[in-house]
Amino acid sequence: MDEFELIQRITPRSLSHREIEIGIGDDAAVYHTKNNYQEIVAVDTMVDGIHFLSSHSSPADIGYKALAVNISDIAAMGGRPKYYLVSIAVPSGWGATDIEAMYEEMNKLATLYEMDLIGGDTVSANGPLVLTVTAIGEIEKGRSCLRSHAEPGDVVFVTGELGSSAAGLSFILGQTSARDETQSQYFIERHKRPEPRVEAGLICSRYHHVALNDISDGLASELNEIAEASRVSIDIYKELIPVHSDLHILHTKWEEWVLFGGEDFELVGTISNDQWERFSQECSEHDVRVHQIGRVTKQGQAEVFYHDGQDRVLLEKKGYNHFKQDR
């Protein structure tokens, strides 16, 4: 394929944000920033064979997820996504039609959040497909939802349901069987096409001292990151964690999926007890599912405990780690 012809094909014909002065077409993009706002920048790289399997995912699926996980990072800060850049290393065997399908699906997702594609890079590669997306968002000054914001007495909450993405991956790899195709497709879709919780993040940013993380590496890992950054102890309860009604019948490892599976891209966070009722009501009014799963108990040593009805177990910071591979 011709690189310059491809750039022409993927260049947006219209833009959502007036702040852009120079988009695609020069050496770099130029845009104006707003007063009293801060910029949020997130980047993720996806590699075929590690983050996705091109043999099991369409180019559209790959493009969707590559952008979705970056939007999720912006949401986890309480921000609004605005721009994105895409860098792609294309191996032999991938044609222009495949690459265009990837960009088209990214564009569809970006349109939902009024995001503009403002640049990137395209190169050929001898190795696997490598796709890097950078997302840029904004948030009002002083409103960022940082991991260091958790305090004793806070409610611990999550959005959506957990464990479904790991179940979907198990179906893809042939490790789990379903009673029917509808059941398997639901979980596979949750793995391939997670929904970034932008609305939930925006609601969180309107409340004082909310801590947030998106669940990319697993609930246990994300909670430990909050505990470490805030130097607090956290207790969560098995019976309060939201899961799909079919999850527990799919596999004996369903609890591992919930705690360590990752890639649900839901949000987990903490909020003060006196704000919880108003916060949960506002979430309900915006059709955002939010569930209390525990408490921040005390300041001091960073620990996360899991109550399973009988025992109180220390949850290790275990999940997906590229350098340890201890999933």
Side-chain angles (χ1 to χ4, degrees):
M1 76 189 99
D2 182 270
E3 176 186 356
F4 302 104
E5 183 182 346
L6 179 64
I7 291 171
Q8 287 183 341
R9 291 186 188 182
I10 65 173
T11 299
R13 301 292 176 254
S14 61
L15 298 171
S16 298
H17 298 285
R18 296 179 181 178
E19 295 95 321
I20 298 176
E21 187 172 319
I22 304 294
I24 295 174
D26 231 294
D27 284 338
V30 178
Y31 60 88
H32 303 285
T33 56
K34 294 180 182 177
N35 292 330
N36 300 317
Y37 277 80
Q38 294 174 312
E39 291 190 293
I40 304 169
V41 182
V43 61
D44 271 295
T45 297
M46 293 174 58
V47 181
D48 192 1
I50 297 176
H51 303 91
F52 64 90
L53 299 171
S54 57
S55 56
H56 291 79
S57 296
S58 68
D61 288 334
I62 296 166
Y64 175 97
K65 192 168 184 177
L67 180 57
V69 301
N70 279 273
I71 296 174
S72 181
D73 283 333
I74 302 295
M77 299 299 290
R80 184 182 300 279
K82 294 187 71 175
Y83 313 118
Y84 68 108
L85 301 93
V86 180
S87 178
I88 185 168
V90 186
S92 59
W94 284 73
T97 302
D98 299 320
I99 304 305
E100 284 186 66
M102 250 191 266
Y103 276 92
E104 178 60 30
E105 203 65 20
M106 281 189 273
N107 179 60
K108 288 179 183 177
L109 180 61
T111 301
L112 293 177
Y113 299 101
E114 298 184 333
M115 295 180 75
D116 290 321
L117 175 64
I118 60 171
D121 194 21
T122 306
V123 298
S124 60
N126 293 324
L129 178 74
V130 180
L131 184 59
T132 299
V133 175
T134 300
I136 301 170
E138 67 177 15
I139 191 166
E140 223 177 312
K141 286 183 178 178
R143 293 288 185 176
S144 295
C145 300
L146 307 180
R147 296 171 183 172
S148 57
H149 282 175
E151 297 178 344
D154 282 0
V155 169
V156 180
F157 66 88
V158 295
T159 62
E161 64 186 42
L162 305 187
S164 295
S165 176
L169 179 59
S170 185
F171 279 120
I172 291 170
L173 298 177
Q175 298 168 345
T176 302
S177 57
R179 64 168 182 258
D180 55 56
E181 187 176 345
T182 301
Q183 185 189 55
S184 62
Q185 281 304 118
Y186 171 82
F187 291 106
I188 290 171
E189 192 77 0
R190 291 281 294 162
H191 178 73
K192 290 184 177 181
R193 292 175 173 261
E195 182 181 342
R197 300 305 181 186
V198 173
E199 187 65 38
L202 291 172
I203 295 172
C204 287
S205 72
R206 297 197 279 269
Y207 289 80
H208 177 67
H209 233 241
V210 173
L212 270 186
N213 242 359
D214 75 327
I215 304 176
S216 55
D217 298 322
L219 179 63
S221 180
E222 314 303 346
L223 282 174
N224 269 284
E225 287 182 346
I226 291 174
E228 290 168 2
S230 299
R231 290 178 292 183
V232 296
S233 180
I234 292 173
D235 282 60
I236 62 170
Y237 298 83
K238 174 182 176 179
E239 68 271 17
L240 297 180
I241 299 175
V243 299
H244 190 276
S245 57
D246 286 348
L247 195 70
H248 69 285
I249 64 175
L250 293 177
H251 203 287
T252 55
K253 289 187 176 181
W254 72 270
E255 271 184 272
E256 290 184 31
W257 291 344
V258 171
L259 297 173
F260 309 112
E263 294 208 330
D264 287 306
F265 295 102
E266 298 291 349
L267 299 181
V268 58
T270 69
I271 188 170
S272 65
N273 186 62
D274 61 358
Q275 295 185 106
W276 167 249
E277 188 173 342
R278 182 161 54 96
F279 168 71
S280 59
Q281 178 61 35
E282 185 173 356
C283 285
S284 178
E285 290 169 358
H286 288 82
D287 295 321
V288 173
R289 293 171 56 198
V290 63
H291 310 266
Q292 178 178 350
I293 64 168
R295 289 273 182 181
V296 179
T297 54
K298 60 184 179 181
Q299 202 83 42
Q301 189 170 352
E303 296 175 316
V304 178
F305 293 97
Y306 177 64
H307 298 250
D308 67 0
Q310 297 178 333
D311 300 311
R312 182 175 184 251
V313 181
L314 181 67
L315 275 186
E316 297 179 14
K317 189 178 181 181
K318 187 174 73 170
Y320 190 83
N321 184 306
H322 292 278
F323 299 102
K324 290 185 178 179
Q325 300 291 318
D326 60 351
R327 184 173 247 174

